[in-house]
Amino acid sequence: MGVRLMVVDDHRLLAEALASALKLRGHRVLAAAAPCAGAADLVVSRAPEVCLLGTAAPAEPGAFDPIVRIKKERPQVAVVVLGPVPSPRGIAAAFAAGASGYVRNDERIEGVERAMMKARAGEAAISPQLLQQAFEELLHPVAQPDDEGARLLQLLTPREVEVLMRVADGEDTRLIAAGMAIAPSTARTHVQRVLMKLEVGSRLEAAALAARTGLLERAAAGGAVAAAAAGTDEPDEPEGGAPPP
């Protein structure tokens, strides 16, 4: 029997893709929504059996505030967090807020589905491997962990970061070009450069990687997108201009 659920993620493209995949597997998706800031209101009003809540920064203060409200007003709703490889602090914060499970956001659809079913049944939905990985980090902390998000961010120019943010929001080439006041051919070139630098084969993979590593959140915090808007990056061809040689 399918699960009545909602998918909430700050990255609309990811939420819609996951919702579509779950519909094909016989589940009833009440809504695929973004951003997470309005998640609690939506879940409280629709009252699904399970809410899949995406987050790129599980260890950040307030990341799981929506769960606290959901469980207070709709205690019967099981919330499963979809997030990056978590730290022990991230897992603890999710369950302390009232989550029923934690699943990596690069998990296969079968793994997400198993977590949904377990959460609906009132069981804790977290894989033994994920727990083991978290406890390994707790017992053997790395002094200077490799920050993949920061590393990837260094590969991109500020303009490419802005393009990636628009890709993650589900914009196509035409919308990217219009929003950045550049020619569609230039927008396509930027998208291809982003895919090449991130070593991914599609826009969906690029959006998933950005979400998993927290790349866009780091960019926003560092002002990379604002710098691009101010024109500190390489010049673009204006919309309607001649294509580059």
Side-chain angles (χ1 to χ4, degrees):
M1 181 174 153
V3 176
R4 286 176 45 254
L5 72 134
M6 293 179 58
V7 183
V8 182
D9 197 294
D10 280 332
H11 300 283
R12 186 181 63 200
L13 186 63
L14 298 183
E16 292 177 350
L18 180 56
S20 296
L22 290 169
K23 284 180 182 178
L24 290 174
R25 299 177 75 88
H27 301 288
R28 182 185 173 194
V29 181
L30 302 180
C36 288
D41 288 335
L42 198 56
V43 174
V44 168
S45 65
R46 302 297 296 273
E49 293 178 297
V50 176
C51 171
L52 298 177
L53 179 70
T55 178
E60 289 297 314
F64 302 123
D65 285 352
I67 302 178
V68 175
R69 185 183 163 205
I70 291 168
K71 298 303 291 185
K72 179 180 179 181
E73 299 192 30
R74 295 285 186 180
Q76 75 276 17
V77 176
V79 181
V80 176
V81 175
L82 300 176
V85 179
S87 66
R89 178 183 172 190
I91 289 181
F95 280 92
S100 299
Y102 193 110
V103 179
R104 283 178 52 160
N105 54 15
D106 59 355
E107 177 64 80
R108 296 173 63 89
I109 190 67
E110 294 85 358
V112 176
E113 191 174 36
R114 282 194 299 271
M116 287 164 35
M117 303 300 284
K118 290 184 70 174
R120 185 178 66 171
E123 302 176 34
I126 184 168
S127 71
Q129 294 86 353
L130 200 56
L131 277 177
Q132 181 179 2
Q133 187 174 1
F135 285 124
E136 279 293 324
E137 181 183 335
L138 183 64
L139 294 173
H140 307 288
V142 179
Q144 294 182 335
D146 178 29
D147 190 327
E148 188 178 4
R151 180 182 66 80
L152 293 174
L153 184 59
Q154 290 179 348
L155 299 177
L156 303 177
T157 66
R159 183 67 73 186
E160 288 164 354
V161 172
E162 183 180 0
V163 169
L164 178 58
M165 180 171 286
R166 292 176 179 275
V167 167
D169 283 339
E171 294 187 11
D172 59 18
T173 300
R174 178 181 58 81
L175 288 175
I176 293 173
M180 298 177 66
I182 58 178
S185 59
T186 304
R188 280 193 295 272
T189 298
H190 279 313
V191 171
Q192 290 303 315
R193 286 176 179 167
V194 169
L195 299 185
M196 179 183 67
K197 288 184 177 182
L198 297 183
E199 298 182 351
V200 295
S202 69
R203 296 181 183 214
L204 182 58
E205 288 181 78
L209 180 63
R212 177 173 63 82
T213 61
L215 191 158
L216 295 181
E217 287 73 14
R218 284 189 165 276
V225 175
T232 59
D233 199 6
E234 73 279 358
D236 276 320
E237 170 200 344
E239 186 169 6

